[in-house]
Amino acid sequence: MTETVEFGHYHLHVHPQPLHLRSGNKRQGIILAPPPSREPSINSSDLWSEKAESELRPVDRGIGAWRFLIAASMMEGFMFGYPINYGVFQSYYFTHAPLAGNTHLSTIGTFGICFYFLGAPIATYLVRKYRRWQQEAIWTGFAISIIGLAAAGWAEDFGSLLATQGCIFGLGLMIMFYPIFNMMNDWFLERRGLALGIICASTGITGLFIPFVLNFLLHKYGPANTLRLSALGLLLLCGPCLPLLKPRTPVPCNESAPCMDYSFLKMPLFYFFALAQLLQGLAYYVPLIYLPSYATSLGLSGTMGALLLVVASFTQVLGQMAFGFVSDMRIPRLWVDGRVPVHILLFVSTFVSGISILALWGPARSLGMLVAFAALYGMSAGGFAVLWARM
């Protein structure tokens, strides 16, 4: 005969004879057991998430964050820095057969970059929907870009170069870089502006020597061998960085895709930023592509044209890191939330770069004025991309 007595959150089951508990301990006639109906259930997924959360690497600091930042900067500096310095190729193509005098050469460099920007809505959606495939997307995009650049070494006409050095290479960049930037948002929060500034500034650092290297290779070995050597060089320099590009937060295999929040479409500020981004994107790469050709038209050598890109790249490093640092600053005495308003920084970037084009590049007839323009334009216009993290 068993008598049950309820005591608080427990039931006392009283038996006339001693019973053995599952734990191996003995009690004289009493088993202390929680009521099954009141016992809170523990989900194994909750235990996994708590354990994963405790094991996550820290945000904005630590070896993991800086290792990712270095790898991402290497990828940005060499892979994206290569099409930015296409102006060296264009200057060579325009003055050498079989493309001498072709007025559509800038289209190759334009397509190499425009895929990266025009594909942003689709790439961003796919990255958010298939987060667990981010690393695979980076490897796939890298392979496509390398194959496109290597195939350009066997191109014999304008159409083939446009398809390989332009379209295929640019498509690989689009597939590769948006997962990297999505991972960056996971690794960095308070220092996100500075992190993006460092990544973007890496194209300026590599721009200090890539133009000279390309100019030397083009005149020494010709465009075909230069493209093949470039593909091999990018493979050796950036390939080892791929295993280091990992997300901070582990993605479960059975995770459902997060729902997109489209409430931003109702905000007028979104359309203001979208229009500003469109106009700035249309104008930003024009000077960088045409500076070497413009210098050649003034009677300057190809080396001087490459020097202008180096000057713009050097000041771009300073400008992007400065804009990124200022965007992360907190000054409570001047602004309510402490941060410098992003629209002020956007105005400074676009206004100064626009004035430099009108006042320096337009009337430039000497190397000195072109150097001054390259320095001011690189410092001001280059900072615009860093501010994406705060838009």
Side-chain angles (χ1 to χ4, degrees):
M1 181 107 183
T2 302
E3 183 178 354
T4 303
V5 180
E6 185 173 351
F7 182 76
H9 293 291
Y10 296 90
H11 292 304
L12 297 179
H13 305 284
V14 182
H15 300 270
Q17 297 297 327
L19 298 176
H20 293 278
L21 297 179
R22 292 182 180 180
S23 60
N25 295 327
K26 296 182 179 180
R27 301 291 185 192
Q28 182 66 31
I30 298 178
I31 298 179
L32 187 62
S37 59
R38 298 185 182 183
E39 177 69 17
S41 61
I42 300 177
N43 195 336
S44 60
S45 62
D46 294 336
L47 291 175
W48 180 89
S49 61
E50 291 179 3
K51 181 180 179 181
E53 183 67 26
S54 64
E55 294 178 354
L56 286 180
R57 294 180 178 179
V59 182
D60 294 318
R61 57 187 175 84
I63 297 177
W66 291 108
R67 182 171 55 192
F68 172 84
L69 185 61
I70 293 174
S73 299
M74 285 286 292
M75 299 296 290
E76 174 83 5
F78 286 100
M79 296 300 297
F80 195 71
Y82 196 84
I84 287 180
N85 292 283
Y86 169 76
V88 179
F89 277 99
Q90 178 176 321
S91 180
Y92 183 90
Y93 290 154
F94 190 78
T95 56
H96 293 77
L99 300 176
N102 192 315
T103 57
H104 303 290
L105 291 172
S106 61
T107 311
I108 299 175
T110 302
F111 270 80
I113 297 175
C114 75
F115 270 92
Y116 174 83
F117 292 102
L118 295 180
I122 299 176
T124 303
Y125 171 78
L126 293 177
V127 167
R128 286 177 57 86
K129 186 174 182 179
Y130 303 104
R131 279 204 316 143
R132 60 183 296 247
W133 300 104
Q134 290 181 107
Q135 288 182 276
E136 289 78 359
I138 294 173
W139 285 74
T140 302
F142 178 74
I144 292 175
S145 292
I146 295 299
I147 292 173
L149 196 60
W154 282 271
E156 298 180 352
D157 53 27
F158 171 77
S160 301
L161 283 174
L162 179 63
T164 53
Q165 190 177 5
C167 296
I168 297 179
F169 186 83
L171 178 63
L173 292 183
M174 181 195 71
I175 297 174
M176 173 174 52
F177 274 109
Y178 284 97
I180 293 177
F181 287 126
N182 191 58
M183 292 180 185
M184 186 208 71
N185 292 334
D186 191 26
W187 280 106
F188 293 91
L189 183 62
E190 290 296 323
R191 298 180 181 178
R192 186 175 296 170
L194 179 60
L196 185 58
I198 293 174
I199 293 176
C200 293
S202 62
T203 59
I205 295 175
T206 56
L208 297 176
F209 55 86
I210 284 182
F212 290 122
V213 173
L214 292 179
N215 187 66
F216 170 78
L217 293 176
L218 284 169
H219 288 85
K220 179 76 173 179
Y221 301 106
N225 290 326
T226 298
L227 289 167
R228 296 165 193 162
L229 289 173
S230 298
L232 178 61
L234 292 177
L235 179 63
L236 296 177
L237 289 170
C238 299
C241 298
L242 294 176
L244 304 179
L245 296 171
K246 299 179 180 179
R248 186 184 71 92
T249 306
V251 183
C253 297
N254 59 348
E255 183 193 51
S256 58
C259 297
M260 289 288 292
D261 182 11
Y262 295 100
S263 60
F264 63 88
L265 295 175
K266 301 178 181 179
M267 303 173 59
L269 189 60
F270 164 74
Y271 296 98
F272 168 78
F273 283 147
L275 179 61
Q277 176 62 54
L278 174 63
L279 297 177
Q280 200 272 349
L282 290 174
Y284 174 68
Y285 293 101
V286 173
L288 300 178
I289 291 176
Y290 282 100
L291 261 180
S293 300
Y294 187 79
T296 303
S297 68
L298 296 180
L300 300 175
S301 65
T303 303
M304 291 297 101
L307 175 64
L308 294 175
L309 292 180
V310 170
V311 173
S313 298
F314 176 74
T315 56
Q316 174 186 327
V317 174
L318 303 178
Q320 288 180 328
M321 296 189 68
F323 274 94
F325 177 78
V326 174
S327 69
D328 287 337
M329 288 179 59
R330 293 186 178 274
I331 311 177
R333 295 182 180 180
L334 297 180
W335 292 281
V336 177
D337 62 349
R339 294 188 183 275
V340 180
V342 67
H343 61 270
I344 294 179
L345 299 175
L346 290 171
F347 174 79
V348 172
S349 173
T350 53
F351 181 78
V352 175
S353 58
I355 290 297
S356 67
I357 293 175
L358 295 175
L360 295 176
W361 192 21
R365 296 296 181 270
S366 63
L367 178 63
M369 289 193 68
L370 287 177
V371 169
F373 162 72
L376 186 58
Y377 183 81
M379 180 174 293
S380 56
F384 190 93
V386 177
L387 303 175
W388 293 349
R390 295 301 177 194
M391 289 187 185

